[in-house]
Amino acid sequence: MIHPDYEMVIGLEVHAQVTTESKLFSGSSTSFGADPNTQANNIDLGMPGMLPVLNKEAVDAGIKLGLALGCRINRKSVFDRKNYFYPDLPKGYQISQFTLPIVEHGNITIDLSDGSTKNIGVTRMHLEEDAGKSVHDFGADHHSHVDLNRAGIPLMEIVSEPDLRTPEEAGEYLKKLRSILRFLEVCDGNMEQGSMRCDANVSVRKKGIAAFGTRREIKNLNSIRNVMRAIEYEANHQIDVLENGGTIDQETILWDANKNETRTMRSKEDAHDYRYFPDPDLLPLYLTEERIEACSKSMPELPDEMKERFIKDYNLSPYDASVLTLSKANASYYEAVVGQKNDPKLCANWVTGELFGALNKQGLDIDSSPISPEQLGELVEMISNNTISGKIAKTVFEEMFETSKNPKDIVEEKGLVQITDRGAIEAVVDKIIEANGDNVEKYRAGNERLLGFFVGQVMKETGGKANPAIVNEILREKL
Amino acid sequence: MELYELGLKEAATKIKNKEISSTELTKSLLDRIEARNGEINAYVTVDRDIALEMAQSSDTRIKEGNPRLIEGVPLGIKDLFCTKGVRTTACSHILDNFIPPYESTVTTNLWNAGGVLLGKTNMDEFAMGSSNESSYFGAVKNPWDLSRTPGGSSGGSAAAVADYQCAASTGSDTGGSIRQPASFTGTVGIKPTYGRCSRFGMVAFASSLDQAGAFARNVEDAALMLRSMSGYDEKDSTSADRPIENYDEKLDQFDIKGLKIGLPKEYFVDGLDPKVKEIIDQSIKNFTDQGAEVVEISLPHTKYAVPAYYIVAPAEAAANLARYDGMRYGLRVEGDNLMDTYMKTRTEGFGMEVKRRIMIGNYTLSSGYYDAYYTKAQRVRALITKDFVDAFEQVDVIFTPTTPTPAFKIGGKVEDPVQMYLNDIFTVATSLAGLPGLSVPAGKMGFEGANLPVGLQMIGPAFSERQLLRTAYAHEQMTKFEPLKA
């Protein structure tokens, strides 16, 4: 929570690694986790006379993301050199896009927990190459070492407008962006491995004031949770400073996830002059209508479209629909559970409730779920046709999750089939009424809350297998 | 006549006809270099073993009856073309003992045509200079007068050809670095259209201007050399995807009658030595006598070419040379920390002229100055290009002097960079426009007590190399230029 007189203004810059086989300007492999410097060729090493050649696949990925975000696709864009010295930047410049990015002016619709949605502007998205990785104070000699495997890996830098107002909105923006990237299969969105990274620009202002405050840029946020925590911390810090009569300096700061605090990396005075200019080794990138059209045709269904379809076709709440369409894997799992015949709403409850809960607890993702969608579908079907009760189903689910067995087998082995035979239930009800004369009296005298007691007794007697609706009905009759 | 005096075509023919072997020719040239290089300083690296090994393999091919275009002929390679396993320094201390693990496309093409690597030729450091005096390996002497410069930056390549230390050599031209030394040494030098030769593996100076080209003692050899080194390369995004032309064939099939020669009035003004003008006028007269037509044209933005060039080229150079940081290859001078190591390495590694251009480049690109300098220079560049487009609607070829004077003295301009830059006045506009240009010997003149060659520059529309070389060949036939004696 922040000071009630203030509001936050947040803009995010996301670097998403494009899932291409080779680097943005060289043929080196991009696969993760290879031995240091084994995936850097002469071009990545910045050897004399080496020249960049643009990866077409990365360009197509950029076009697709641009289309997905409703951006203007620039028919001409330019690669620029961003000049600075650092040992993990072999050429002494990074090839990026400065003045003319590949796409501009889009937006992302985020879903908020109160069920509302908000449009967040996307200023631009450009393609650029990654730098290498520096490791300091490393090994017995405590020297700095450089790994250039990452140097030249294609990145899409997605810059948002300063439209975000809370850490929650920032988190939702990142989730939505990540799901769009994953649906398009242009980035795996894995923040921990660094294939999606985020910098946050944060400022605060008194409510009702139109002008933005001075912003500070938080670097190096490697999870959505850290993004949210860092923004919250930073906003409170800025408010403290302002409330104590101080001023905010435009700075770049680092988030320390261990200490839960930010610290200054460099002040505005130390800011680099990157001396951008068009890279003369690369011609301007011209995109033809045919190429854009081809990318457009190969676009998969996107999260928002899928969400609308789920609401319409499956009659789901917007919240359930957005949870289920957060990832392609979630969505296709859910659709497989529904299959041809199951009740979509009941399936949604089981997937978002029991299944996601159990997976979360185990730290598993949906692809490694011990329960297949077909098995869960079978379970839902057994509930729908009254083979088992919802309560029994939870027990069955637990065993399925543990053993990966089919629900039918578990129900059969343990004799958990629901008792729907009226005669059988009546016999149990009679037995319970006979054994609990006092409570029968009290119930009949007007204490209707005791019905629950009788239901409980019947269920206990039947090992939870009696159909609760029938039990209720018979009890009311007999009492 | 010694074997080392043979021209490129001549030598290739004799080798193919088994009149001489590549090994014999290579040995002859290696001996010539050994005898002469101490004085001329045209070569900075000569590897006898590699040269003889390549010659041997050419001789084997000849024996097998499988010769290629220039089979067995040894060549001089400017030291900015990376040669696999052979030291390549761009004549800079910062690339001390750099041995590339790869081959440039231009030299790959030459070896695929049967060429033999004789050695790496001297040049201005990173091709920055017009006199070869900025080389870390010392200045090259002009074989016509040892007190004079052979020009630059491809001074070693030009001097080696003029002095019979190779029949042909590669050069690179960013603002005149082939044409000016050709003019100063009485050789033929051609810079083709930007994109005709691949820049892959060529140490970069100014990427949007750098273009490889060729030196030889006659037009046919220059044409054959260019044919052997050019071609599309997918590894260079600015390379032109056009087929290679057989520039050296049918050079005489050219009708001078009706040829429209443009003479830009801006090039025949102040600073042009009257004796240079006399020689150029004679060349023009030779053409008009044969029925060519002279048209006075205007290239109105010419006077802005040198200033625009000295903004664009240093800007690109400043970024291109940032990779020489002592971290991965080349010179490294250890300092107390990272910044100190950078500073010590680059302070010691780069020479004066290179530092000057890095400073200019970083200045003009810096925030607040970019629009006033870089953006404006690019706009000027577009206007200069348009001047030529307009001109070539009226004429087929443009004739100008290559340089305002013949070769100047070593040390003559080194203290005054602006005077040095003005030496490029007739060549930079062509480079800014990316057009092909060549320099052919037009005559000799007395200059400061020496008898020195003077070059005629011919400029053509983009990718008109074939036409340009035929024009140059016609000029050569009419001029009867007497080259330096061996």
Side-chain angles (χ1 to χ4, degrees):
Chain A
M1 284 306 291
I2 68 159
H3 194 294
D5 295 349
Y6 284 86
E7 73 170 349
M8 306 179 195
V9 175
I10 306 156
L12 298 180
E13 288 173 22
V14 172
H15 287 90
Q17 179 181 334
V18 191
T19 43
T20 50
E21 297 280 311
S22 58
K23 293 185 178 179
L24 188 53
F25 298 111
S26 89
S28 297
S29 164
T30 55
S31 64
F32 181 79
D35 285 344
N37 297 311
T38 56
Q39 292 182 170
N41 66 15
N42 292 323
I43 296 169
D44 309 320
L45 289 167
M47 300 295 268
M50 292 297 101
L51 298 171
V53 175
L54 182 59
N55 183 332
K56 294 188 176 77
E57 219 186 312
V59 172
D60 286 341
I63 297 171
K64 283 184 198 169
L65 181 60
L67 291 170
L69 302 183
C71 290
R72 182 179 83 203
I73 312 294
N74 286 329
R75 269 47 175 183
K76 177 190 176 186
S77 65
V78 171
F79 286 94
D80 297 287
R81 293 182 179 180
K82 178 182 180 179
N83 298 286
Y84 66 93
F85 281 93
Y86 207 67
D88 62 21
L89 188 72
K91 296 189 295 296
Y93 57 83
Q94 176 195 25
I95 306 177
S96 181
Q97 296 190 298
F98 183 57
T99 318
L100 270 179
I102 183 166
V103 305
E104 288 178 279
H105 312 309
N107 63 77
I108 290 178
T109 306
I110 58 170
D111 302 292
L112 299 171
S113 57
D114 63 4
S116 67
T117 58
K118 183 176 173 181
N119 258 344
I120 306 300
V122 171
T123 316
R124 54 183 276 156
M125 189 283 286
H126 67 253
L127 293 170
E128 64 181 27
E129 56 175 349
D130 205 349
K133 187 171 141 194
S134 296
V135 188
H136 301 293
D137 199 16
F138 180 81
D141 58 7
H142 299 283
H143 282 175
S144 293
H145 292 249
V146 173
D147 177 5
L148 294 174
N149 284 355
R150 226 170 67 187
I153 281 193
L155 301 176
M156 298 186 278
E157 182 176 329
I158 304 128
V159 182
S160 86
E161 290 288 311
D163 289 346
L164 300 158
R165 292 291 172 270
T166 65
E168 187 211 351
E169 289 182 9
E172 290 306 318
Y173 171 88
L174 288 173
K175 281 184 208 159
K176 189 49 145 322
L177 175 58
R178 186 172 63 183
S179 77
I180 293 169
L181 291 167
R182 286 175 171 168
F183 270 61
L184 291 171
E185 293 175 353
V186 296
C187 171
D188 68 24
N190 190 327
M191 288 187 85
E192 285 70 29
Q193 280 183 5
S195 46
M196 182 169 148
R197 303 197 289 271
C198 179
D199 302 333
N201 284 291
V202 179
S203 65
V204 296
R205 63 179 171 191
K206 279 238 165 96
K207 281 181 182 164
I209 294 198
F212 290 157
T214 304
R215 67 188 157 85
R216 300 213 302 167
E217 183 181 4
I218 318 172
K219 289 264 180 205
N220 234 0
L221 300 164
N222 64 358
S223 72
I224 291 178
R225 188 162 155 263
N226 277 334
V227 172
M228 294 169 68
R229 282 163 65 192
I231 291 170
E232 175 110 33
Y233 174 89
E234 174 60 19
N236 281 320
H237 166 76
Q238 290 185 15
I239 292 165
D240 279 351
V241 171
L242 294 171
E243 283 294 300
N244 288 310
T247 51
I248 305 295
D249 293 327
Q250 194 178 325
E251 285 178 325
T252 303
I253 55 183
L254 279 179
W255 171 248
D256 187 330
N258 296 323
K259 293 185 184 161
N260 275 333
E261 60 182 36
T262 51
R263 61 189 151 84
T264 301
M265 189 172 138
R266 59 173 179 258
S267 68
K268 195 186 178 186
E269 287 71 39
D270 303 329
H272 294 294
D273 178 354
Y274 289 118
R275 288 163 282 126
Y276 283 101
F277 76 105
D279 190 336
D281 286 334
L282 292 158
L283 300 170
L285 172 62
Y286 291 99
L287 299 179
T288 60
E289 301 307 318
E290 294 74 43
R291 185 169 186 181
I292 296 167
E293 184 62 28
C295 287
S296 171
K297 279 196 177 131
S298 69
M299 297 272 284
E301 189 180 24
L302 291 168
D304 284 346
E305 296 161 13
M306 196 179 261
K307 180 184 161 189
E308 285 312 308
R309 180 166 65 83
F310 278 21
I311 292 171
K312 200 167 142 269
D313 292 2
Y314 298 135
N315 211 11
L316 298 183
S317 70
Y319 179 77
D320 279 352
S322 67
V323 170
L324 288 170
T325 53
L326 213 51
S327 82
K328 224 181 217 176
N330 284 358
S332 51
Y333 189 99
Y334 167 73
E335 294 209 279
V337 175
V338 175
Q340 300 295 316
K341 50 198 182 300
N342 280 332
D343 172 11
K345 181 69 196 159
L346 189 59
C347 292
N349 290 344
W350 276 88
V351 172
T352 61
E354 298 300 318
L355 182 69
F356 285 180
L359 290 171
N360 254 342
K361 220 165 159 187
Q362 298 289 319
L364 295 173
D365 61 30
I366 193 128
D367 294 324
S368 42
S369 165
I371 301 178
S372 75
E374 290 72 25
Q375 289 174 322
L376 191 56
E378 195 179 294
L379 183 69
V380 171
E381 194 189 346
M382 289 167 81
I383 301 166
S384 297
N385 65 19
N386 287 328
T387 307
I388 55 172
S389 69
K391 194 168 173 211
I392 293 287
K394 287 186 183 181
T395 319
V396 176
F397 177 88
E398 274 166 29
E399 181 148 357
M400 287 166 73
F401 199 83
E402 224 167 85
T403 63
S404 293
K405 281 187 186 166
N406 287 329
K408 269 187 186 142
D409 297 341
I410 296 170
V411 167
E412 212 163 276
E413 267 170 38
K414 306 215 157 171
L416 295 174
V417 175
Q418 184 165 248
I419 304 166
T420 49
D421 177 55
R422 291 189 70 94
I425 294 174
E426 268 177 38
V428 178
V429 168
D430 289 343
K431 194 175 149 197
I432 297 296
I433 288 177
E434 205 179 308
N436 292 281
D438 309 354
N439 284 333
V440 174
E441 290 296 312
K442 284 178 193 162
Y443 179 85
R444 286 182 179 152
N447 189 355
E448 296 203 357
R449 278 184 309 172
L450 279 168
L451 184 65
F453 163 78
F454 289 108
V455 172
Q457 291 298 310
V458 175
M459 294 312 269
K460 197 175 166 190
E461 185 69 25
T462 58
K465 291 186 286 185
N467 180 310
I470 300 173
V471 171
N472 264 291
E473 199 187 309
I474 293 173
L475 271 170
R476 279 180 203 282
E477 268 173 35
K478 300 231 169 196
L479 284 168
Chain B
M1 185 175 160
E2 301 289 339
L3 289 182
Y4 60 72
E5 291 176 67
L6 292 172
L8 177 60
K9 182 95 174 192
E10 229 177 339
T13 309
K14 283 184 188 297
I15 291 169
K16 195 195 282 178
N17 297 339
K18 299 177 185 167
E19 290 170 53
I20 59 169
S21 73
S22 171
T23 304
E24 283 167 341
L25 176 62
T26 304
K27 276 184 179 157
S28 167
L29 280 159
L30 286 167
D31 292 347
R32 170 77 177 171
I33 293 168
E34 201 166 299
R36 298 283 297 164
N37 202 41
E39 201 161 46
I40 305 290
N41 200 25
Y43 285 91
V44 294
T45 303
V46 177
D47 192 318
R48 262 192 107 87
D49 295 343
I50 288 180
L52 289 170
E53 204 178 291
M54 288 175 83
Q56 182 58 52
S57 99
S58 275
D59 285 334
T60 308
R61 259 189 114 95
I62 294 289
K63 215 175 283 169
E64 290 164 354
N66 197 14
R68 294 162 294 182
L69 197 56
I70 52 170
E71 193 68 63
V73 184
L75 305 167
I77 301 298
K78 189 177 182 179
D79 202 33
L80 93 174
F81 294 93
C82 288
T83 40
K84 190 172 177 175
V86 177
R87 186 178 75 157
T88 302
T89 69
C91 290
S92 178
H93 185 30
I94 209 151
L95 276 174
D96 252 3
N97 296 317
F98 174 65
I99 297 174
Y102 49 87
E103 189 78 39
S104 80
T105 298
V106 160
T107 47
T108 301
N109 292 345
L110 288 171
W111 314 148
N112 288 340
V116 168
L117 171 60
L118 198 51
K120 305 297 289 286
T121 59
N122 205 342
M123 57 185 278
D124 278 297
E125 184 181 4
F126 286 107
M128 297 180 191
S130 308
S131 67
N132 225 299
E133 290 165 283
S134 73
S135 167
Y136 179 65
F137 300 101
V140 180
K141 311 276 171 56
N142 191 326
W144 290 78
D145 175 350
L146 298 181
S147 70
R148 290 177 191 276
T149 164
S153 67
S154 312
S157 292
V161 167
D163 198 49
Y164 301 90
Q165 297 183 45
C166 60
S169 60
T170 63
S172 73
D173 190 317
T174 305
S177 282
I178 289 175
R179 291 159 287 159
Q180 183 249 25
S183 176
F184 280 11
T185 57
T187 54
V188 178
I190 179 163
K191 172 202 106 75
T193 311
Y194 182 77
R196 179 66 294 185
C197 292
S198 168
R199 292 185 297 114
F200 182 85
M202 192 171 105
V203 177
F205 158 20
S207 312
S208 74
L209 296 156
D210 293 346
Q211 183 54 215
F215 289 96
R217 286 187 294 271
N218 61 63
V219 173
E220 186 183 27
D221 286 358
L224 179 58
M225 183 70 174
L226 182 63
R227 174 183 170 187
S228 308
M229 62 195 275
S230 63
Y232 172 66
D233 180 9
E234 60 180 19
K235 296 199 286 277
D236 174 1
S237 310
T238 62
S239 165
D241 192 358
R242 301 167 66 100
I244 302 166
E245 292 177 86
N246 303 337
Y247 302 120
D248 56 309
E249 289 172 6
K250 299 175 185 161
L251 280 167
D252 56 349
Q253 289 188 8
F254 180 67
D255 197 358
I256 294 175
K257 201 169 179 311
L259 179 75
K260 284 187 183 155
I261 300 169
L263 301 178
K265 60 181 185 195
E266 292 81 3
Y267 283 58
F268 291 88
V269 283
D270 309 342
L272 178 62
D273 190 299
K275 278 188 269 177
V276 173
K277 185 171 184 302
E278 216 173 277
I279 290 169
I280 302 302
D281 284 345
Q282 181 57 50
S283 287
I284 295 164
K285 188 173 177 299
N286 290 344
F287 275 90
T288 49
D289 284 353
Q290 299 289 317
E293 191 187 322
V294 164
V295 182
E296 193 196 70
I297 56 164
S298 175
L299 300 169
H301 298 94
T302 298
K303 64 179 167 197
Y304 304 115
V306 170
Y309 174 86
Y310 278 97
I311 287 168
V312 173
E316 294 181 9
N320 282 334
L321 270 58
R323 66 188 60 196
Y324 307 111
D325 59 3
M327 294 295 128
R328 297 169 309 286
Y329 51 80
L331 181 74
R332 173 177 182 142
V333 184
E334 291 290 346
D336 296 335
N337 52 45
L338 177 64
M339 187 55 74
D340 198 35
T341 302
Y342 279 153
M343 301 221 288
K344 286 199 163 102
T345 301
R346 289 169 66 86
T347 299
E348 194 176 316
F350 291 133
M352 214 41 196
E353 183 58 28
V354 172
K355 281 179 195 156
R356 179 158 32 234
R357 296 198 194 189
I358 290 173
M359 298 271 289
I360 294 170
N362 281 322
Y363 178 77
T364 58
L365 287 177
S366 60
S367 164
Y369 298 96
Y370 181 81
D371 284 338
Y373 291 106
Y374 189 79
T375 309
K376 193 168 244 173
Q378 288 295 5
R379 254 186 261 141
V380 170
R381 187 174 182 178
L383 291 171
I384 287 169
T385 306
K386 189 169 179 301
D387 282 356
F388 281 104
V389 170
D390 293 345
F392 285 120
E393 282 179 5
Q394 303 172 59
V395 300
D396 303 312
V397 63
I398 294 170
F399 282 12
T400 82
T402 309
T403 55
T405 66
F408 49 87
K409 291 250 184 195
I410 291 171
K413 293 182 197 265
V414 80
E415 296 304 321
D416 187 346
V418 175
Q419 268 311 305
M420 188 74 92
Y421 297 171
L422 285 173
N423 208 256
D424 303 336
I425 197 152
F426 297 145
T427 49
V428 287
T430 325
S431 293
L432 287 168
L435 299 176
L438 58 75
S439 178
V440 279
K444 279 172 250 177
M445 62 177 266
F447 182 66
E448 300 168 349
N451 191 32
L452 298 170
V454 169
L456 165 70
Q457 178 177 229
M458 299 178 176
I459 306 163
F463 300 104
S464 67
E465 284 82 1
R466 198 178 181 123
Q467 168 87 352
L468 213 50
L469 283 159
R470 286 176 180 185
T471 312
Y473 184 80
H475 175 266
E476 188 174 62
Q477 301 307 305
M478 296 184 288
T479 309
K480 304 273 183 277
F481 176 83
E482 212 28 61
L484 200 62
K485 292 272 179 290

